Amino acid sequence: MSARTESRPDGQPRESAGDRAYAFVKDQIVSGVYAGGTLISEGEVSSAVRISRTPVREAFLRLAAEGLLRLYPKRGALVVPVSSAEVHDVLDARLLIERHAVDTVIRAGRHREVGAAMRAILEQQRGPTGPMDAERFTELDRQFHSTLVEAAGNVLLAGFYMTLRDRQLRMGTAALLREPDRRTAILAEHAALADLIEAGDADGVAGALAEHLAGTRAAVTNG
């Protein structure tokens, strides 16, 4: 049975122990703290979150259903590594959706405003006080691309793109941890993409986008 949900003083429901365990473990996986191939235990998580093991077990089941964990009774849970096939599938899907989005916003004459919005996120990625952590950088990377996809106005494609969020964050963070110099390349590639979109150069964006995603593919899969 799930932990009982209580209310906060402002009337909003408190986050259950199971939800806290789920959020904690998922964040550790996406951020790369729990790397692929790591075996984690219910006791380890219950100590970190300061809850009993029952809600941790529930969280493990949810994450196993999402394909992030593989459960081993009485031993714990293995963080499922990102496979080469998954990397290729996700990036191929992104390329198709983002190319469609580019064509759509340019045909609609919205490319200048979309390019400007993407540039504003790029400025956040550059940051005023030096390098930010890989997880935050990757989240801004995702926002940069999502701005383009959402601007195209196709609710179904935008919804599907959103389902790739956790995979994108995990792959992006892994790429930065493996190749720290990739951060500089991403900033330059994002600047080029924003320029091309603002200029309404659909062919130029398509080529730059393919090269940009190929860089992520190479960083995550070691080529």
Side-chain angles (χ1 to χ4, degrees):
M1 183 178 293
S2 300
R4 184 169 60 92
T5 301
E6 300 177 350
S7 295
R8 301 185 317 210
D10 61 6
Q12 296 298 314
R14 292 183 186 275
E15 189 177 37
S16 72
D19 287 339
R20 282 166 34 221
Y22 169 85
F24 172 81
V25 176
K26 191 167 193 175
D27 180 70
Q28 300 297 89
I29 293 173
V30 170
S31 67
V33 175
Y34 288 165
T38 301
L39 187 67
I40 57 177
S41 68
E42 293 175 5
E44 176 184 349
V45 175
S46 65
S47 296
V49 187
R50 297 183 179 179
I51 56 176
S52 68
R53 294 192 181 198
T54 299
V56 174
R57 193 170 303 124
E58 295 172 356
F60 279 10
L61 288 169
R62 289 171 63 184
L63 291 163
E66 294 178 17
L68 293 174
L69 292 180
R70 187 175 300 127
L71 305 183
Y72 292 93
K74 298 183 180 180
R75 292 182 57 197
L78 182 77
V79 178
V80 178
V82 177
S83 68
S84 295
E86 181 181 1
V87 172
H88 287 292
D89 288 349
V90 169
L91 294 179
D92 283 352
R94 284 187 57 187
L95 186 59
L96 289 171
I97 293 172
E98 292 180 39
R99 277 179 170 172
H100 170 81
V102 168
D103 291 340
T104 300
V105 298
I106 290 176
R107 284 199 308 269
R110 299 187 57 217
H111 49 284
R112 292 182 183 84
E113 65 178 274
V114 173
M118 295 171 73
R119 192 178 301 286
I121 296 172
L122 171 59
E123 291 308 310
Q124 293 183 57
Q125 270 193 301
R126 288 195 172 111
T129 57
M132 63 186 70
D133 65 80
E135 187 178 5
R136 174 60 178 160
F137 186 91
T138 302
E139 171 58 28
L140 288 169
D141 184 292
R142 189 196 66 80
Q143 290 178 25
F144 179 88
H145 291 272
S146 293
T147 296
L148 170 63
V149 173
E150 291 167 7
N154 187 310
V155 176
L156 292 179
L157 287 180
F160 174 71
Y161 193 85
M162 185 62 188
T163 67
L164 302 177
R165 175 183 181 275
D166 291 334
R167 289 184 171 90
Q168 291 185 56
L169 292 177
R170 192 179 181 200
M171 291 176 190
T173 302
L176 290 178
L177 293 175
R178 182 172 292 173
E179 293 188 11
D181 290 343
R182 177 68 186 144
R183 186 187 304 255
T184 301
I186 288 172
L187 293 174
E189 290 162 10
H190 279 189
L193 284 168
D195 286 343
L196 290 165
I197 289 171
E198 283 185 307
D201 184 352
D203 290 338
V205 177
L209 188 59
E211 185 176 346
H212 177 58
L213 295 180
T216 298
R217 189 192 309 264
V220 177
T221 62
N222 284 327

